[in-house]
Amino acid sequence: MNQPVRLLSVLAALGLMSTGASADVIKVGVIGTMSGPYALFGQNFKMGIDAWVAQHGNKVGDHQIEFVYRDEESPNPAKSKALAQELLVKDKVQYLAGLYFTPDAMAVAPLLEESKTPLVVLNAATSAIVEKSPYIVRTSFTMWQNTVPAAHVARKNGSKKAAIAVSDYGPGIDAENAFKKTFEADGGTVTEAIRMPLNTTDFSPIMQRIKDSGADTIFTFLPAGPPTLGFVKAYIDNGLKVAGVKLMSTGDVVTEPDLPNIGDSGIGILSTYHYAVSHDSPENKAFLDQIVKGGGKLDEVTMTSVAAYDGARLIYKMIEATNGQRDPEKAIASVKGMKWVSPRGPVSIDPDTRHIRQNVYLREVAKQDGKFINKEIQTFDAQPDWALSKN
Amino acid sequence: MRTIFSIVVDAVAYGMVLFTISIGLSIMMGLMRVVNLAHGAFAMIGGYLASYAIRSMGASYVVAILVAVVGTILISAPLEFLLYRRIYRKSDALTQLLLTIGITFFIIGMANFVFGPTLKSIPLPAALSGPLDIGFRMLPTHRVFVIACGGVIAVALWYLLERTEFGVRLRAAVDNSDMAESLGIRTELIYSATFALAVGLGAFGGVIGAELLPIEPFYALRYMVVFLVVVSVGGAGSILGALSASLLLGLADTTGKYLAPEFGEFFFYLAVILIVFLFPNGLFGRAH
């Protein structure tokens, strides 16, 4: 190869690379549970993002946004990491989003700084996730955020002795700690703290043990999905509800799609959560209308669609702030302190923790017009993540 | 004391679910010498059919069980005719494993494609849902139903295999198929009927056990190990063996869940190791 040709080909290669980098299409990789037992929640990621795109278009300035979805089926950190790597290297995504399970989010965190990629966590709810990298923001919730109000409510409703039963992994342990600390500080006693393996399907023995412990209230957390239904059914079928033992949980345990399966016997179950499909506001109505217009079913909407909807909002803002350049510091800085009214109520991104501040609602399972809903009966304003924030 | 009673009641309920699903596999493995790794897949098909019958067609629970059992047998019939028939008794274990695991993956894929990837619930009729007061504690009514089903199946199978003409012919076909054939027993028919029986029992167990082992696309693989363990601990082909293995393992698992739930399935597998160590051919198995 002679000199000019070599020079030309180098230039051509550079030209190709630079068009690759400043191309008009900005890709966002979304890792979610699109299939398997938790498929509903991954599909909700897509419903939420689609709703945002339908309302705001697929362009920010001159940049076209493209969402690329990857499926992670179950808690599987190795696979999530591999998927993230593939998205970064092969698909050249500029932003990552999604992640239903904490262990999966933790596995992706180390890749972010090296690749200069911001990650918007759309579900995984262990407090420590945002500390794993300065490039992580979260639009979902944390266990501390939702559990602390639950403990206050339980104590206020006259509970003296509570039993805690949680799934044995990050968020479960967060929930256990949050409830124990708050409940005991309020003057209650915790009789049992049971950690149930994630693959537990038979809750009968656990229910009986709780009953034998003499607790008047059960606090529980399991990740939304198949096991929660089994837990609530075991609670009812083993006679704890009839015996007057109260069930208090975060909203994960009574997500709306499960309520018809629990049936009438679920009426009255209390939970604290940041989003109910029945939330009464113009923003939520517009959001749900958009989802239905986009072909989604109202009966299948869960909290992950709202987290994804707001997550898309953050990504659009970050793209706008950086004008499509790969600049994670600037991108993250642009969303710190951001405030808006989400379908779930007023929210803001805490500038210190990069985690969402939001109202947490006390809800009660109720029947309205023949449909089961989580009826909001009390509001705890602008809750921070109680583990990360000092105030 | 009350705690012990509670544990025993839960253990029996869990054990009976294991028994109802595993007994079909035990028959296949013991009498026809087929290590049928697709047994869980047949139980899963039963569950899917029942769920579909109730939720989409509005059938009653009893009708749904019938649909599940008959439907699963019909779906599996071509597999029996085309594939299983070649691996009864004589084939080596590796061929059987590869063939049946292949069938399992095929069924998982089809179930995913036809019914979608989400969990399928099988709503219980009012009579079977809710708690039942058994004196010293409340027990889910459904568990009592499952216990009763397990008992009936055990007795009926024992009668079928030990006291009926069919049982005599089956045992003859199993012990010496060439001799049985030359005596005029149509072994092929006997085998097909036994296969249908095993598959039907699997489907039945899949439906009534769905409260404990929820129906989802990976059901076929997820619980297969448990079913195999029951059969190998009990001794393949022995009804009494499968029954006592199910109850023993149910007891180990339930006690573990009761006293130390954070250990998960540790006690279940500890029991398996101990039993297999003490009884290498299973509790009631014969050395072949």
Side-chain angles (χ1 to χ4, degrees):
Chain A
M1 220 188 284
N2 57 26
Q3 201 68 26
V5 173
R6 190 181 292 169
L7 192 67
L8 261 178
S9 54
V10 168
L11 280 176
L14 276 175
L16 277 175
M17 275 166 68
S18 62
T19 49
S22 69
D24 265 339
V25 178
I26 293 178
K27 286 188 181 174
V28 181
V30 184
I31 302 176
T33 47
M34 309 308 289
S35 73
Y38 296 90
L40 187 61
F41 304 97
Q43 286 156 9
N44 263 275
F45 284 168
K46 188 160 188 308
M47 269 156 61
I49 291 171
D50 286 350
W52 175 266
V53 173
Q55 285 176 350
H56 299 86
N58 62 351
K59 281 196 154 181
V60 178
D62 301 334
H63 311 287
Q64 199 179 333
I65 320 292
E66 188 191 329
F67 290 89
V68 188
Y69 293 89
R70 289 287 181 273
D71 181 15
E72 62 169 349
E73 283 160 21
S74 56
N76 186 347
K79 187 172 176 195
S80 299
K81 191 171 181 185
L83 288 175
Q85 250 156 359
E86 190 195 310
L87 283 166
L88 290 168
V89 175
K90 222 179 101 207
D91 295 292
K92 305 217 176 350
V93 299
Q94 222 182 86
Y95 295 89
L96 281 171
L99 299 161
Y100 187 70
F101 291 102
T102 292
D104 298 344
M106 294 287 198
V108 172
L111 302 173
L112 303 176
E113 279 168 73
E114 201 185 329
S115 64
K116 299 200 174 302
T117 312
L119 162 66
V120 182
V121 174
L122 301 184
N123 189 67
T126 305
S127 293
I129 291 174
V130 284
E131 291 177 325
K132 294 295 163 197
S133 160
Y135 297 163
I136 299 180
V137 239
R138 174 162 46 197
T139 57
S140 51
F141 64 102
T142 68
M143 296 321 303
W144 277 85
Q145 189 170 40
N146 278 330
T147 305
V148 167
H152 287 313
V153 169
R155 190 72 190 99
K156 219 168 166 187
N157 286 354
S159 166
K160 290 189 183 70
K161 290 192 279 183
I164 304 174
V166 296
S167 284
D168 194 2
Y169 77 131
I173 291 158
D174 268 13
E176 181 189 305
N177 292 337
F179 191 87
K180 196 160 191 282
K181 196 174 161 201
T182 316
F183 193 69
E184 286 179 347
D186 284 1
T189 355
V190 171
T191 57
E192 288 266 2
I194 302 170
R195 292 181 182 174
M196 307 172 286
L198 261 180
N199 59 1
T200 305
T201 50
D202 178 14
F203 298 100
S204 240
I206 288 164
M207 287 303 157
Q208 201 52 38
R209 185 173 145 180
I210 291 174
K211 203 173 170 196
D212 293 348
S213 80
D216 55 33
T217 301
I218 307 173
F219 169 76
T220 187
F221 161 76
L222 300 99
T228 57
L229 181 59
F231 188 90
V232 177
K233 285 187 82 119
Y235 160 73
I236 293 165
D237 290 351
N238 282 279
L240 277 81
K241 186 163 192 270
V242 183
V245 181
K246 293 202 190 85
L247 181 65
M248 181 83 221
S249 69
T250 60
D252 307 87
V253 179
V254 282
T255 50
E256 280 82 357
D258 271 345
L259 293 180
N261 292 326
I262 298 171
D264 280 332
S265 41
I267 290 174
I269 292 177
L270 294 178
S271 60
T272 48
Y273 218 39
H274 56 285
Y275 178 66
V277 178
S278 65
H279 181 72
D280 189 14
S281 74
E283 290 81 13
N284 191 37
K285 192 174 176 305
F287 169 70
L288 292 174
D289 286 349
Q290 183 59 55
I291 282 192
V292 172
K293 221 163 55 181
K297 288 198 203 106
L298 216 47
D299 294 339
E300 291 179 356
V301 176
T302 68
M303 72 292 174
T304 49
S305 63
V306 177
Y309 181 77
D310 287 334
R313 179 194 294 267
L314 292 198
I315 288 168
Y316 273 43
K317 171 90 182 187
M318 290 194 273
I319 292 171
E320 193 189 308
T322 54
N323 193 24
Q325 298 306 304
R326 204 179 262 276
D327 187 348
E329 271 87 15
K330 205 168 168 188
I332 295 288
S334 74
V335 297
K336 281 184 180 176
M338 196 174 156
K339 270 195 175 81
W340 72 98
V341 181
S342 156
R344 58 186 124 172
V347 297
S348 66
I349 299 293
D350 190 312
D352 299 324
T353 60
R354 286 164 277 113
H355 169 67
I356 195 161
R357 249 177 213 254
Q358 57 194 335
N359 293 351
V360 169
Y361 306 91
L362 172 66
R363 310 103 45 88
E364 181 181 37
V365 176
K367 208 171 188 177
Q368 206 171 61
D369 309 329
K371 260 181 88 170
F372 292 100
I373 59 161
N374 282 308
K375 194 171 153 202
E376 293 174 346
I377 51 180
Q378 193 186 335
T379 307
F380 297 83
D381 281 326
Q383 297 288 302
D385 172 276
W386 293 101
L388 300 171
S389 303
K390 301 296 165 255
N391 48 354
Chain B
M1 200 60 205
R2 251 186 52 188
T3 309
I4 294 174
F5 273 126
S6 288
I7 294 179
V8 171
V9 171
D10 278 326
V12 171
Y14 184 51
M16 280 304 195
V17 172
L18 289 184
F19 171 75
T20 322
I21 303 181
S22 309
I23 186 63
L25 180 62
S26 182
I27 291 175
M28 283 283 280
M29 280 175 68
L31 300 184
M32 285 141 79
R33 308 268 193 280
V34 175
V35 184
N36 184 17
L37 293 185
H39 189 72
F42 292 129
M44 180 175 95
I45 294 179
Y48 271 109
L49 289 177
S51 171
Y52 182 77
I54 295 181
R55 300 201 322 171
S56 302
M57 291 157 45
S60 70
Y61 194 63
V62 178
V63 174
I65 289 179
L66 281 176
V67 169
V69 172
V70 176
T72 310
I73 292 175
L74 288 180
I75 290 172
S76 64
L79 294 175
E80 198 272 341
F81 186 71
L82 295 171
L83 301 170
Y84 277 93
R85 207 164 269 195
R86 296 158 202 272
I87 58 167
Y88 290 146
R89 295 185 57 84
K90 286 164 196 143
S91 183
D92 70 320
L94 188 62
T95 314
Q96 295 183 348
L97 289 180
L98 289 176
L99 177 69
T100 54
I101 199 82
I103 292 174
T104 305
F105 281 114
F106 173 72
I107 292 176
I108 287 177
M110 290 304 285
N112 248 317
F113 181 71
V114 179
F115 293 103
T118 52
L119 179 106
K120 296 285 178 283
S121 66
I122 301 178
L124 293 172
L128 291 182
S129 49
L132 183 77
D133 200 341
I134 54 166
F136 61 98
R137 64 166 283 192
M138 301 282 218
L139 191 72
T141 313
H142 178 256
R143 299 285 165 95
V144 180
F145 169 71
V146 172
I147 294 176
C149 286
V152 170
I153 287 177
V155 173
L157 273 182
W158 171 82
Y159 187 82
L160 180 73
L161 294 183
E162 301 292 330
R163 288 283 184 275
T164 61
E165 181 75 20
F166 174 78
V168 174
R169 282 164 190 266
L170 174 61
R171 278 178 290 138
V174 164
D175 283 336
N176 192 332
S177 59
D178 295 338
M179 180 57 82
E181 208 149 286
S182 56
L183 288 173
I185 296 175
R186 296 184 60 190
T187 52
E188 222 164 58
L189 270 185
I190 296 271
Y191 282 146
S192 299
T194 314
F195 178 85
L197 176 70
V199 166
L201 282 171
F204 180 70
V207 178
I208 68 167
E211 291 279 298
L212 279 165
L213 313 176
I215 300 297
E216 37 102 359
F218 292 96
Y219 179 105
L221 285 176
R222 181 159 303 169
Y223 303 114
M224 199 56 225
V225 177
V226 179
F227 307 150
L228 280 175
V229 160
V230 169
V231 174
S232 67
V233 164
S238 160
I239 299 169
L240 192 60
L243 188 59
S244 38
S246 302
L247 293 177
L248 261 178
L249 294 173
L251 188 64
D253 197 47
T254 308
T255 314
K257 274 198 189 123
Y258 214 95
L259 301 177
E262 57 276 16
F263 281 85
E265 281 162 352
F266 173 78
F267 292 101
F268 181 86
Y269 287 104
L270 183 70
V272 172
I273 292 169
L274 285 178
I275 298 172
V276 173
F277 178 72
L278 294 173
F279 304 93
N281 292 313
L283 292 168
F284 291 87
R286 289 165 298 176
H288 338 284

